[in-house]
Amino acid sequence: MSMDEELVFRILFISIYAVFAGVRIYYRSQNIGRTSEKEYTQKTKAITVLIVAILGYFLTVGLWIVFPPIVLIFQIPLPSVIRWFGGGIALIATALTVWIHRILGKQYSAKLEIQKGHELITVGPYSKIRHPMYSSLNLFSLSVSLISANLLLILFAISVAIPFHWITRAEEELLIEQFGEEYLEYMQTTGRFFPRLW
Ligand code: SAH
């Protein structure tokens, strides 16, 4: 691996990451000032695990960008083609995230909550998958970690994905409480993170 190519991957990583962060910050800002009607406040273990994993992930990203020597020991000899592939998938995941945000609209929140005038969304990506945003988020963090070829980052990306198994359980409880039969029926025809194949 030449120094030059390592630099190209670094620039690719930072650029894609910046675009994705920009998208997330934009849609989060759209959420400011909305009123919550019901909030899932119970602090679950899953949220704690998620916070630890995200902190580890961000810390590693930060170190990888500004002070590589510390995390350099975790570099693995991933073939360039896989790192480029990661970049391509990360771009696709960014585009998917924009699409999903546009469809979920004002229903989006960083919290598990029912907002004033909350509508159940079952169109676009939501017609096949109940949690497309979590899928694309995890697809992004996994694929972007491939660009870095850093094992620590890849492992943190995997550990960020795991708690969503429990978070979606709590989220679905809340949605069933709010939408009842309508959500239960919606569950019959959709997959949680991937479209149903049968
Ligand atoms: N879990 C979804 C949404 C993430 S944003 C996804 O991954 O795509 C989190 C908020 O979305 C929660 O506050 C929840 O109330 C809301 N939400 C989740 N699924 C929804 C749906 N089908 N329609 C409307 N709101 C939904």
Side-chain angles (χ1 to χ4, degrees):
M1 171 80 46
S2 69
M3 267 316 281
D4 284 357
E5 198 175 17
E6 204 49 62
L7 182 66
V8 171
F9 282 129
R10 195 165 292 274
I11 292 169
L12 184 72
F13 183 97
I14 295 170
S15 319
I16 297 182
Y17 216 98
V19 172
F20 189 82
V23 167
R24 295 291 288 174
I25 290 167
Y26 171 77
Y27 284 105
R28 280 223 181 165
S29 75
Q30 297 294 300
N31 198 255
I32 292 168
R34 282 180 202 152
T35 15
S36 181
E37 282 204 334
K38 218 183 278 170
E39 218 174 287
Y40 196 98
T41 44
Q42 199 184 320
K43 288 278 167 273
T44 58
K45 252 186 231 151
I47 306 260
T48 314
V49 174
L50 182 67
I51 290 171
V52 171
I54 289 178
L55 284 179
Y57 187 84
F58 282 165
L59 189 69
T60 313
V61 168
L63 285 176
W64 194 81
I65 291 175
V66 301
F67 199 65
I70 290 185
V71 286
L72 222 57
I73 46 165
F74 296 101
Q75 286 300 119
I76 50 173
L78 264 193
S80 288
V81 62
I82 292 183
R83 302 178 69 174
W84 283 111
F85 175 77
I89 299 292
L91 276 179
I92 292 171
T94 305
L96 281 174
T97 302
V98 171
W99 180 47
I100 295 161
H101 263 296
R102 294 180 64 124
I103 301 270
L104 188 59
K106 62 181 193 59
Q107 276 62 228
Y108 167 75
S109 169
K111 294 184 244 168
L112 301 189
E113 63 178 339
I114 300 296
Q115 304 183 62
K116 198 160 175 284
H118 202 112
E119 282 171 31
L120 181 64
I121 305 297
T122 58
V123 296
Y126 288 91
S127 67
K128 299 268 182 275
I129 313 176
R130 296 197 292 284
H131 303 285
M133 195 174 289
Y134 297 158
S135 300
S136 74
L137 218 79
N138 286 306
L139 184 66
F140 178 83
S141 57
L142 271 171
S143 54
V144 90
S145 73
L146 291 181
I147 306 176
S148 74
N150 189 279
L151 185 63
L152 193 62
L153 201 57
I154 294 169
L155 290 178
F156 270 126
I158 293 169
S159 61
V160 165
I162 294 167
F164 282 98
H165 174 79
W166 293 282
I167 288 168
T168 51
R169 286 208 175 160
E171 188 164 330
E172 293 185 354
E173 260 174 46
L174 183 71
L175 291 161
I176 291 170
E177 201 182 295
Q178 177 71 12
F179 297 104
E181 202 57 46
E182 198 184 350
Y183 196 82
L184 289 168
E185 263 169 40
Y186 170 63
M187 289 175 85
Q188 298 298 311
T189 56
T190 48
R192 188 146 43 140
F193 299 110
F194 306 100
R196 279 196 184 189
L197 296 174
W198 54 91

